Amino acid sequence: MMTGSHCYCFFGIISIFFALIIHTLSSTTPPHFCLHHQREALLEFRDEFPIDEFDPNPWNKSSPDCCLWKGVTCDDRSGQVISLNLADTSLNGSFKTNSSLFRLQYLRHLKLSYCDIQGEIPSSLGNLSRLTLIDLSHNFLVGEIPASIGNLKRLRHVELGANTLIGAIPSSLGKLNQLRYLSLAANELTGDIPSSLGNLSSLLELRLSINHLVGQVPASIGNLNELQAISLSQNNLNGTIPISFSNLTKLYHISLRSNNFTSTLPSDMSVFHNLEHFDVAANSFLGSFPKSLFTIPSLQVVYLDDNQFIGPIEFVNTSSSSSSSSSSPKLEILSLASNKFIGLVPESISKFLNLGEINLSGNNFNGPIPRSISKLANLQTLNLANNNLKGQVPAYLLRVTTVTLSNNFFSSYENPSEETLIEALDLNSNSFQEPFPRWICNTKGLRFLDLSNNLFNGSIPPCLEDSIASFSDLILRNNSFSGPLPDIFASATELRSLDVSRNHLEGSLPKSLVNCKALQLVNMESNRIKDVFPSWLGSLPSLHVLILRSNEFHGTLHVFIGFRSLRIIDISRNDFTGTLPPHCFSSWRGMTVLREEDDPYMADIINESVFYRNSMVIGVKGVELSFERIQQDFRAIDISGNRIHGKIPESLSFLKELHLLNLSGNVFTSHIPRSLANLTKLETLDLSRNKLSGQIPQDLGQLSSLSYMNFSSNLLKGLVPRGTQFQSQNCSSFSDNDRLFGLEEICGKIQVSNPTSQQPEQLSEPEEELFSWTAAAIAYGPGVFCGLVIGHIFTSYYHKIWSKKNTISGR
Ligand SMILES: *[C@@H]1O[C@H](CO)[C@@H](O)[C@H](O)[C@H]1NC(C)=O
Ligand SMILES: *[C@@H]1O[C@H](CO)[C@@H](O)[C@H](O)[C@H]1NC(C)=O
Ligand SMILES: *[C@@H]1O[C@H](CO)[C@@H](O)[C@H](O)[C@H]1NC(C)=O
Ligand SMILES: *[C@@H]1O[C@H](CO)[C@@H](O)[C@H](O)[C@H]1NC(C)=O
Ligand SMILES: *[C@@H]1O[C@H](CO)[C@@H](O)[C@H](O)[C@H]1NC(C)=O
Ligand SMILES: *[C@@H]1O[C@H](CO)[C@@H](O)[C@H](O)[C@H]1NC(C)=O
Ligand SMILES: *[C@@H]1O[C@H](CO)[C@@H](O)[C@H](O)[C@H]1NC(C)=O
Ligand SMILES: *[C@@H]1O[C@H](CO)[C@@H](O)[C@H](O)[C@H]1NC(C)=O
Ligand SMILES: *[C@@H]1O[C@H](CO)[C@@H](O)[C@H](O)[C@H]1NC(C)=O
Ligand SMILES: *[C@@H]1O[C@H](CO)[C@@H](O)[C@H](O)[C@H]1NC(C)=O
Ligand SMILES: *[C@@H]1O[C@H](CO)[C@@H](O)[C@H](O)[C@H]1NC(C)=O
Ligand SMILES: *[C@@H]1O[C@H](CO)[C@@H](O)[C@H](O)[C@H]1NC(C)=O
């Protein structure tokens, strides 16, 4: 220890000495020369962190003039270190409470952002009394903001954002009357906004977003006469916006998004005459449409979405210049979604000639799309979903990149005469009773098309082949399309989902689908497709969901080769025959491992499991089956309602992640394989209506996740396994078998060996009901799944365009 510091000192003296010699000899040496004690402080500061040098320009003893070290700036005359900027240098350590940093008494700028600093901010920071700028953002700082920061009276710029600071905002900050910029955003701060912040009379920007701040915005904020930008978004602030807020007339940026404000907006918004960005989305703001807002000439971005605004909307002319045709000529984004606006979408919306994005979804707008929208040459995104709009979809909309009109009453479309630029079109759930829009064959960049839940009819035109190359999603579910699905997919290499379910399609499955290497979902459910099993789909590397349910597929199932990504397969209610070979499932890796991590698409779909949570409670004969737990890891096989015979293949037991297995309504014989007990995730097992004999394997009693099972209408005998899962089943799950016993607890004391003799009505009845249950479970699963697919792809699509927009418009 002693020798160490001696050595240190010695070296220091030697190098200073050396440096002095150089200094006297060399005329090129800069006039400022590092002061010894400051150099020592810097070297000690360096040694407080567990790295050898600050890359790439090392701070070391053989480089004597510390004023030349990277990130160090000295005063020209005095040589005092006045600025330390190590931004983007990984220090990977924490501040010492008595860090030698605090000996650099002349520091004016301290910039240590993106430095991987951990630990707390020492309160000795308050000793650096000459600081005007401090930036410790984007580190891993914890603990509270030291109150001593309020001593640094010269501070003009404080940036502590993107750390994990906790506790309250120190009210001592209110003493910094020179402060122009304050950001504490993206921390874990709690408590109120201190009213002392109202004393920061020079403040230009206040950023407190993404914390856990509560309570009301203090009225004193209205004193910040110079304020130009305020962001309080993503906190738990509530109550009303203080009246004094109207005094902040220099604001160009206001973001109050995602709080709990229950307030009206200031009655005259036009006082904010410099306003560019106004975002109050996701609160409970009340009142009528803020007309005055749209008279501000500088306005660019307005988000009012997800509030409680009511009544009609209108865009008035500015009073000052009534001849001016556009009140807010720079307006680019207008989002009024998810409010209670009513009435027509006014023609006056097209005054804002620079609009690039309009979101009016989730209101009660009615009437047609205003014709004037054709004047908006820059419009890229139009979302009118979930309203009561009706009439014709005008052709000029097809110049817009992304158009969402779902859940309205549109009934026809105008054919465009020129080439369209559209990339995404969602007409889901409207009132179209028309043939397939043939103009789609002439598009070049269409990626997403959803026509589902309409009455589109006639055939799917073969000319679609000309535009299919750009498609990622083709969703035609639940219409009245007829004829064959044309063989148009040879160039569809981007296609991720193809859903033509619930139409009247016939003929065979188009072989060109084998080229769709990106396919993740194929849904052919409820058509009249007549074909053998498409074993050639087994080569598609990402096929997760294959649904052929309720068609006229036939032939044997002996070739399940490939399908290594398959997670859900439903080939029920067809006419498949033959046996399942013993090893037929062995290549289905998707059912044996969870591979979420390498599949963000799938992860995103299932993360939005809100859909599942809300919708999947299905009653089966008094048993409430809740599908709340259906999630990303859901794996299912449904082969029910075919004519497959022979043994249940042992290789099923390799599909370790399987949640649902339905083999009911076939002609399976022999005994139930014991190895099914290896399927420890199994929640639903339906083997009913086969010719299975022997005992129910006792090991199945250990399947603790199994909440529904059905063994009825077989030739089973012997002791029903013990175990809670079995004991909680309905009696009918075991009815109509040979000689099952041990059913006293399940069926009540009266039934002993053959429950069916006591409950004859359960014999005939269950078929359709159980069937519709499995149908519901599996078909609804993927159905919802599909809904999610659609919803998700579309939103992610928006996000892309959207974030592009946002980067353009800055904040
Ligand atoms: C000290 O820094 C100089 C450059 O300033 C460099 O050339 C030298 O190698 C460094 N010495 C050590 C021991 O890192
Ligand atoms: C940072 O320090 C930790 C130990 O405190 C070490 O595990 C880690 O590798 C270091 N990271 C870097 C980038 O040096
Ligand atoms: C900071 O100042 C206080 C007194 O104002 C003193 O007690 C403390 O030692 C100082 N800290 C450092 C690191 O200089
Ligand atoms: C800082 O304090 C530690 C003990 O808390 C002590 O070992 C060290 O010498 C002190 N450093 C300075 C620069 O005062
Ligand atoms: C802020 O100003 C008020 C007067 O407007 C004063 O009473 C209060 O002490 C000041 N707070 C601070 C922290 O300086
Ligand atoms: C808003 O308040 C409601 C109850 O008043 C509460 O349930 C909700 O969590 C709050 N939201 C936020 C973001 O604080
Ligand atoms: C605002 O939130 C605070 C605490 O978070 C609560 O005590 C208060 O009742 C809320 N006020 C209103 C108007 O909701
Ligand atoms: C607004 O500012 C004026 C002076 O600039 C002041 O007289 C008035 O009290 C302020 N209003 C509010 C509500 O704070
Ligand atoms: C608003 O301005 C437009 C274009 O100058 C004009 O046609 C319209 O009549 C004006 N509306 C009102 C209500 O003044
Ligand atoms: C429009 O609003 C809806 C509903 O709030 C939202 O889901 C969607 O992401 C918004 N953005 C676009 C571009 O549609
Ligand atoms: C499609 O539906 C319309 C309206 O119901 C009907 O007039 C037309 O004949 C149908 N076309 C086909 C091919 O079924
Ligand atoms: C499946 O279970 C059987 C016993 O029922 C056991 O012998 C076999 O090793 C298991 N297979 C796997 C792959 O776990």
Side-chain angles (χ1 to χ4, degrees), residues 1-18 36-37 39-40 43-44 47 61 103:
M1 191 63 198
M2 276 314 267
T3 38
S5 50
H6 269 294
C7 198
Y8 200 72
C9 206
F10 176 71
F11 249 89
I13 289 165
I14 290 289
S15 50
I16 286 289
F17 177 68
F18 211 72
H36 172 69
H37 63 280
R39 185 168 167 282
E40 289 302 308
L43 285 172
E44 282 175 38
D47 290 340
K61 301 193 186 72
R103 304 208 318 255

mmCIF file of all heavy atoms in Angstrom, residues 1-18 36-37 39-40 43-44 47 61 103:
data_model
loop_
_atom_site.group_PDB
_atom_site.id
_atom_site.type_symbol
_atom_site.label_atom_id
_atom_site.label_comp_id
_atom_site.label_asym_id
_atom_site.label_seq_id
_atom_site.Cartn_x
_atom_site.Cartn_y
_atom_site.Cartn_z
ATOM 1 N N MET A 1 0.861 -1.185 0.000
ATOM 2 C CA MET A 1 0.000 0.000 0.000
ATOM 3 C C MET A 1 0.904 1.246 0.000
ATOM 4 O O MET A 1 0.824 2.097 -0.866
ATOM 5 C CB MET A 1 -0.898 -0.037 1.263
ATOM 6 C CG MET A 1 -2.028 0.980 1.263
ATOM 7 S SD MET A 1 -3.218 0.701 -0.077
ATOM 8 C CE MET A 1 -4.020 2.263 -0.148
ATOM 9 N N MET A 2 1.788 1.310 1.013
ATOM 10 C CA MET A 2 2.682 2.459 1.122
ATOM 11 C C MET A 2 3.569 2.583 -0.114
ATOM 12 O O MET A 2 3.631 3.623 -0.747
ATOM 13 C CB MET A 2 3.584 2.311 2.369
ATOM 14 C CG MET A 2 2.943 2.791 3.662
ATOM 15 S SD MET A 2 2.131 4.402 3.495
ATOM 16 C CE MET A 2 3.482 5.463 4.021
ATOM 17 N N THR A 3 4.233 1.466 -0.403
ATOM 18 C CA THR A 3 5.139 1.484 -1.561
ATOM 19 C C THR A 3 4.377 1.861 -2.823
ATOM 20 O O THR A 3 4.874 2.610 -3.646
ATOM 21 C CB THR A 3 5.812 0.110 -1.753
ATOM 22 O OG1 THR A 3 4.843 -0.876 -1.464
ATOM 23 C CG2 THR A 3 7.015 -0.068 -0.878
ATOM 24 N N GLY A 4 3.165 1.341 -2.880
ATOM 25 C CA GLY A 4 2.317 1.624 -4.042
ATOM 26 C C GLY A 4 2.145 3.123 -4.239
ATOM 27 O O GLY A 4 2.446 3.672 -5.292
ATOM 28 N N SER A 5 1.750 3.824 -3.184
ATOM 29 C CA SER A 5 1.443 5.235 -3.365
ATOM 30 C C SER A 5 2.738 6.051 -3.545
ATOM 31 O O SER A 5 2.752 7.047 -4.252
ATOM 32 C CB SER A 5 0.620 5.759 -2.181
ATOM 33 O OG SER A 5 1.232 5.411 -0.976
ATOM 34 N N HIS A 6 3.810 5.573 -2.872
ATOM 35 C CA HIS A 6 5.115 6.219 -3.088
ATOM 36 C C HIS A 6 5.483 6.188 -4.565
ATOM 37 O O HIS A 6 5.832 7.188 -5.166
ATOM 38 C CB HIS A 6 6.210 5.469 -2.310
ATOM 39 C CG HIS A 6 6.374 6.041 -0.950
ATOM 40 N ND1 HIS A 6 6.849 7.306 -0.732
ATOM 41 C CD2 HIS A 6 6.116 5.524 0.267
ATOM 42 C CE1 HIS A 6 6.871 7.542 0.563
ATOM 43 N NE2 HIS A 6 6.437 6.479 1.204
ATOM 44 N N CYS A 7 5.377 4.973 -5.049
ATOM 45 C CA CYS A 7 5.721 4.703 -6.429
ATOM 46 C C CYS A 7 4.932 5.618 -7.347
ATOM 47 O O CYS A 7 5.453 6.261 -8.237
ATOM 48 C CB CYS A 7 5.361 3.248 -6.729
ATOM 49 S SG CYS A 7 6.167 2.645 -8.183
ATOM 50 N N TYR A 8 3.658 5.694 -7.026
ATOM 51 C CA TYR A 8 2.715 6.478 -7.783
ATOM 52 C C TYR A 8 3.189 7.931 -7.836
ATOM 53 O O TYR A 8 3.323 8.545 -8.888
ATOM 54 C CB TYR A 8 1.367 6.384 -7.050
ATOM 55 C CG TYR A 8 0.198 6.721 -7.893
ATOM 56 C CD1 TYR A 8 -0.228 5.853 -8.889
ATOM 57 C CD2 TYR A 8 -0.471 7.906 -7.685
ATOM 58 C CE1 TYR A 8 -1.303 6.164 -9.666
ATOM 59 C CE2 TYR A 8 -1.557 8.233 -8.463
ATOM 60 C CZ TYR A 8 -1.981 7.353 -9.450
ATOM 61 O OH TYR A 8 -3.067 7.667 -10.232
ATOM 62 N N CYS A 9 3.459 8.421 -6.631
ATOM 63 C CA CYS A 9 3.863 9.794 -6.442
ATOM 64 C C CYS A 9 5.157 10.076 -7.210
ATOM 65 O O CYS A 9 5.281 11.047 -7.933
ATOM 66 C CB CYS A 9 4.094 10.003 -4.956
ATOM 67 S SG CYS A 9 3.857 11.691 -4.501
ATOM 68 N N PHE A 10 6.077 9.164 -7.032
ATOM 69 C CA PHE A 10 7.371 9.260 -7.673
ATOM 70 C C PHE A 10 7.194 9.379 -9.185
ATOM 71 O O PHE A 10 7.697 10.306 -9.809
ATOM 72 C CB PHE A 10 8.176 7.992 -7.325
ATOM 73 C CG PHE A 10 9.501 7.938 -8.011
ATOM 74 C CD1 PHE A 10 10.533 8.812 -7.631
ATOM 75 C CD2 PHE A 10 9.734 7.032 -9.039
ATOM 76 C CE1 PHE A 10 11.752 8.737 -8.281
ATOM 77 C CE2 PHE A 10 10.939 6.974 -9.682
ATOM 78 C CZ PHE A 10 11.966 7.813 -9.301
ATOM 79 N N PHE A 11 6.388 8.486 -9.683
ATOM 80 C CA PHE A 11 6.128 8.497 -11.121
ATOM 81 C C PHE A 11 5.518 9.812 -11.558
ATOM 82 O O PHE A 11 5.888 10.391 -12.552
ATOM 83 C CB PHE A 11 5.162 7.357 -11.486
ATOM 84 C CG PHE A 11 5.836 6.298 -12.271
ATOM 85 C CD1 PHE A 11 6.453 5.237 -11.623
ATOM 86 C CD2 PHE A 11 5.894 6.353 -13.652
ATOM 87 C CE1 PHE A 11 7.087 4.250 -12.351
ATOM 88 C CE2 PHE A 11 6.529 5.380 -14.379
ATOM 89 C CZ PHE A 11 7.133 4.324 -13.729
ATOM 90 N N GLY A 12 4.590 10.236 -10.733
ATOM 91 C CA GLY A 12 3.913 11.499 -11.029
ATOM 92 C C GLY A 12 4.916 12.617 -11.123
ATOM 93 O O GLY A 12 4.946 13.377 -12.096
ATOM 94 N N ILE A 13 5.782 12.706 -10.129
ATOM 95 C CA ILE A 13 6.776 13.781 -10.101
ATOM 96 C C ILE A 13 7.703 13.698 -11.302
ATOM 97 O O ILE A 13 7.931 14.683 -11.997
ATOM 98 C CB ILE A 13 7.581 13.721 -8.786
ATOM 99 C CG1 ILE A 13 6.657 14.152 -7.637
ATOM 100 C CG2 ILE A 13 8.806 14.611 -8.839
ATOM 101 C CD1 ILE A 13 7.166 13.811 -6.276
ATOM 102 N N ILE A 14 8.170 12.476 -11.563
ATOM 103 C CA ILE A 14 9.064 12.278 -12.702
ATOM 104 C C ILE A 14 8.413 12.757 -13.989
ATOM 105 O O ILE A 14 8.994 13.522 -14.750
ATOM 106 C CB ILE A 14 9.419 10.779 -12.851
ATOM 107 C CG1 ILE A 14 10.336 10.341 -11.711
ATOM 108 C CG2 ILE A 14 10.077 10.485 -14.189
ATOM 109 C CD1 ILE A 14 11.734 10.882 -11.787
ATOM 110 N N SER A 15 7.149 12.348 -14.137
ATOM 111 C CA SER A 15 6.534 12.668 -15.427
ATOM 112 C C SER A 15 6.235 14.161 -15.528
ATOM 113 O O SER A 15 6.326 14.749 -16.593
ATOM 114 C CB SER A 15 5.277 11.825 -15.655
ATOM 115 O OG SER A 15 4.448 11.910 -14.545
ATOM 116 N N ILE A 16 5.851 14.751 -14.412
ATOM 117 C CA ILE A 16 5.635 16.203 -14.425
ATOM 118 C C ILE A 16 6.930 16.895 -14.821
ATOM 119 O O ILE A 16 6.974 17.773 -15.687
ATOM 120 C CB ILE A 16 5.190 16.700 -13.034
ATOM 121 C CG1 ILE A 16 3.742 16.296 -12.787
ATOM 122 C CG2 ILE A 16 5.348 18.204 -12.920
ATOM 123 C CD1 ILE A 16 2.731 17.058 -13.603
ATOM 124 N N PHE A 17 8.006 16.459 -14.180
ATOM 125 C CA PHE A 17 9.324 16.996 -14.434
ATOM 126 C C PHE A 17 9.649 16.895 -15.927
ATOM 127 O O PHE A 17 9.985 17.865 -16.590
ATOM 128 C CB PHE A 17 10.328 16.182 -13.595
ATOM 129 C CG PHE A 17 11.746 16.605 -13.826
ATOM 130 C CD1 PHE A 17 12.190 17.865 -13.405
ATOM 131 C CD2 PHE A 17 12.648 15.757 -14.462
ATOM 132 C CE1 PHE A 17 13.498 18.247 -13.620
ATOM 133 C CE2 PHE A 17 13.955 16.142 -14.670
ATOM 134 C CZ PHE A 17 14.389 17.381 -14.239
ATOM 135 N N PHE A 18 9.433 15.725 -16.419
ATOM 136 C CA PHE A 18 9.659 15.411 -17.814
ATOM 137 C C PHE A 18 8.831 16.321 -18.709
ATOM 138 O O PHE A 18 9.293 16.944 -19.640
ATOM 139 C CB PHE A 18 9.223 13.952 -18.021
ATOM 140 C CG PHE A 18 10.007 13.274 -19.084
ATOM 141 C CD1 PHE A 18 11.340 12.932 -18.862
ATOM 142 C CD2 PHE A 18 9.428 12.967 -20.312
ATOM 143 C CE1 PHE A 18 12.065 12.298 -19.860
ATOM 144 C CE2 PHE A 18 10.155 12.344 -21.294
ATOM 145 C CZ PHE A 18 11.473 12.000 -21.062
ATOM 146 N N HIS A 36 -1.260 19.959 -12.029
ATOM 147 C CA HIS A 36 -0.862 18.696 -11.417
ATOM 148 C C HIS A 36 -1.978 18.034 -10.605
ATOM 149 O O HIS A 36 -2.324 16.880 -10.810
ATOM 150 C CB HIS A 36 0.363 18.920 -10.530
ATOM 151 C CG HIS A 36 0.712 17.706 -9.730
ATOM 152 N ND1 HIS A 36 1.217 16.563 -10.317
ATOM 153 C CD2 HIS A 36 0.594 17.434 -8.413
ATOM 154 C CE1 HIS A 36 1.401 15.655 -9.378
ATOM 155 N NE2 HIS A 36 1.030 16.166 -8.210
ATOM 156 N N HIS A 37 -2.596 18.804 -9.717
ATOM 157 C CA HIS A 37 -3.581 18.169 -8.832
ATOM 158 C C HIS A 37 -4.818 17.727 -9.612
ATOM 159 O O HIS A 37 -5.476 16.747 -9.257
ATOM 160 C CB HIS A 37 -3.964 19.102 -7.688
ATOM 161 C CG HIS A 37 -4.645 20.367 -8.118
ATOM 162 N ND1 HIS A 37 -3.937 21.446 -8.598
ATOM 163 C CD2 HIS A 37 -5.945 20.703 -8.165
ATOM 164 C CE1 HIS A 37 -4.799 22.401 -8.923
ATOM 165 N NE2 HIS A 37 -6.023 21.979 -8.671
ATOM 166 N N ARG A 39 -4.713 16.687 -12.738
ATOM 167 C CA ARG A 39 -4.282 15.505 -13.460
ATOM 168 C C ARG A 39 -4.348 14.286 -12.537
ATOM 169 O O ARG A 39 -4.833 13.207 -12.917
ATOM 170 C CB ARG A 39 -2.863 15.738 -13.965
ATOM 171 C CG ARG A 39 -2.322 14.648 -14.846
ATOM 172 C CD ARG A 39 -1.056 15.150 -15.505
ATOM 173 N NE ARG A 39 -0.326 14.061 -16.109
ATOM 174 C CZ ARG A 39 0.420 13.212 -15.412
ATOM 175 N NH1 ARG A 39 0.526 13.360 -14.100
ATOM 176 N NH2 ARG A 39 1.038 12.232 -16.013
ATOM 177 N N GLU A 40 -3.879 14.487 -11.309
ATOM 178 C CA GLU A 40 -3.930 13.408 -10.332
ATOM 179 C C GLU A 40 -5.386 12.987 -10.083
ATOM 180 O O GLU A 40 -5.696 11.809 -10.009
ATOM 181 C CB GLU A 40 -3.300 13.852 -9.002
ATOM 182 C CG GLU A 40 -1.796 13.998 -9.069
ATOM 183 C CD GLU A 40 -1.116 12.699 -9.486
ATOM 184 O OE1 GLU A 40 -1.387 11.653 -8.857
ATOM 185 O OE2 GLU A 40 -0.340 12.720 -10.469
ATOM 186 N N LEU A 43 -6.574 10.913 -12.941
ATOM 187 C CA LEU A 43 -6.018 9.555 -12.942
ATOM 188 C C LEU A 43 -6.661 8.709 -11.850
ATOM 189 O O LEU A 43 -6.963 7.533 -12.047
ATOM 190 C CB LEU A 43 -4.499 9.607 -12.756
ATOM 191 C CG LEU A 43 -3.735 10.047 -14.012
ATOM 192 C CD1 LEU A 43 -2.264 10.272 -13.688
ATOM 193 C CD2 LEU A 43 -3.881 9.018 -15.127
ATOM 194 N N GLU A 44 -6.890 9.326 -10.712
ATOM 195 C CA GLU A 44 -7.557 8.582 -9.640
ATOM 196 C C GLU A 44 -8.982 8.234 -10.035
ATOM 197 O O GLU A 44 -9.469 7.140 -9.757
ATOM 198 C CB GLU A 44 -7.565 9.397 -8.335
ATOM 199 C CG GLU A 44 -6.239 9.355 -7.625
ATOM 200 C CD GLU A 44 -6.228 10.265 -6.406
ATOM 201 O OE1 GLU A 44 -7.265 10.352 -5.710
ATOM 202 O OE2 GLU A 44 -5.187 10.900 -6.162
ATOM 203 N N ASP A 47 -8.918 5.339 -12.113
ATOM 204 C CA ASP A 47 -8.660 4.103 -11.369
ATOM 205 C C ASP A 47 -9.852 3.650 -10.519
ATOM 206 O O ASP A 47 -9.849 2.543 -10.001
ATOM 207 C CB ASP A 47 -7.420 4.284 -10.489
ATOM 208 C CG ASP A 47 -6.159 4.367 -11.347
ATOM 209 O OD1 ASP A 47 -6.216 3.905 -12.517
ATOM 210 O OD2 ASP A 47 -5.139 4.901 -10.867
ATOM 211 N N LYS A 61 0.213 8.055 -17.735
ATOM 212 C CA LYS A 61 1.260 8.917 -17.173
ATOM 213 C C LYS A 61 2.252 9.378 -18.224
ATOM 214 O O LYS A 61 2.871 10.418 -18.076
ATOM 215 C CB LYS A 61 1.977 8.172 -16.054
ATOM 216 C CG LYS A 61 1.015 7.778 -14.967
ATOM 217 C CD LYS A 61 1.739 7.329 -13.726
ATOM 218 C CE LYS A 61 0.761 6.802 -12.703
ATOM 219 N NZ LYS A 61 0.196 5.478 -13.100
ATOM 220 N N ARG A 103 -13.119 16.557 -6.965
ATOM 221 C CA ARG A 103 -12.028 17.511 -6.734
ATOM 222 C C ARG A 103 -11.817 18.411 -7.951
ATOM 223 O O ARG A 103 -11.040 19.352 -7.889
ATOM 224 C CB ARG A 103 -10.739 16.747 -6.408
ATOM 225 C CG ARG A 103 -10.919 15.814 -5.210
ATOM 226 C CD ARG A 103 -9.653 15.551 -4.434
ATOM 227 N NE ARG A 103 -8.460 15.328 -5.247
ATOM 228 C CZ ARG A 103 -7.897 14.146 -5.440
ATOM 229 N NH1 ARG A 103 -8.398 13.054 -4.899
ATOM 230 N NH2 ARG A 103 -6.801 14.048 -6.164
#
